[in-house]
Amino acid sequence: MSELMLNIVLSFLSAMAGAYGGALAATWWQEKKEEKSLVKAREATIINALIICRHYGEVISKVDKKIVPDGRELEWYEVNLVEIFMPPNIQHNPSELITYLGKSEYDLVASIIHAEWVAKSAINVIEKRDLEYSELQKYLISKGSSRKLSKEQATKIIGDAWSAKLDSLTKEMHTAVRAAIKQNMDCFNSLVKLLPNEKKLKDAFERIEPTITL
């Protein structure tokens, strides 16, 4: 092989090696970039779920403070209107949770979605009970009853059937509120553990958590 031909071959091989090496470096860089993006997206998904769980817990715990003062569950005639509001657009994204938390966290995703359903169910029960109690107030006013009534006095005016209905709704509300707080707190605690230890957000969320009371 002539010197000219040898130089051409060596130059070609060198160029090929350089191109291959460059392609490998570009692929490695792209993979690292995608890996970092995936980590950030996963962390953002966890934080978003944490915020929603905490929000559900805090909203429902405000109800709990109204209906369970000093640890005693109030009866139907002791609980006035609760008046709760939850924006409909605050909700988990199941597809996003499954995508970024992965197969290993399917049980947690299921728990998160169930906890959200329990919280929304509790809100529905509270609203239903509020509506019924509002009708009761209107009825009592129409009868010219005094502002404060005992259970016996109120039952005598409205009848046993209505009293029993309000009692059932109030007990259902107590049960739903307890379940919503507990399940959202459990999911909150499980989600926090998925954050990197070095993240300050973990400590921040743990400091906020005690506002979600049992």
Side-chain angles (χ1 to χ4, degrees), residues 92-107:
H92 292 289
N93 185 327
S95 177
E96 202 171 73
L97 287 168
I98 291 170
T99 298
Y100 292 113
L101 267 60
K103 293 180 179 179
S104 62
E105 301 296 343
Y106 273 7
D107 287 345

Side-chain angles (χ1 to χ4, degrees), residues 50 54 58 185 188-189 192 195 197-213:
L50 274 169
R54 189 189 72 195
E58 288 181 341
M185 182 186 285
F188 180 97
N189 290 333
V192 166
L195 288 175
N197 291 328
E198 69 271 18
K199 293 294 178 183
K200 293 181 180 179
L201 282 170
K202 178 177 178 179
D203 293 332
F205 277 112
E206 286 180 338
R207 285 197 297 273
I208 291 171
E209 185 197 342
T211 60
I212 306 174
T213 57

Side-chain angles (χ1 to χ4, degrees), residues 6-52:
L6 180 61
N7 286 337
I8 291 172
V9 171
L10 289 175
S11 295
F12 176 75
L13 291 174
S14 178
M16 287 292 290
Y20 180 69
L24 280 178
T27 300
W28 179 85
W29 181 83
Q30 183 63 29
E31 287 176 352
K32 287 296 180 183
K33 184 179 178 182
E34 290 175 358
E35 186 179 316
K36 285 182 178 180
S37 295
L38 187 62
V39 169
K40 287 182 178 179
R42 185 176 188 272
E43 187 175 298
T45 299
I46 292 170
I47 291 170
N48 187 59
L50 274 169
I51 291 170
I52 294 172

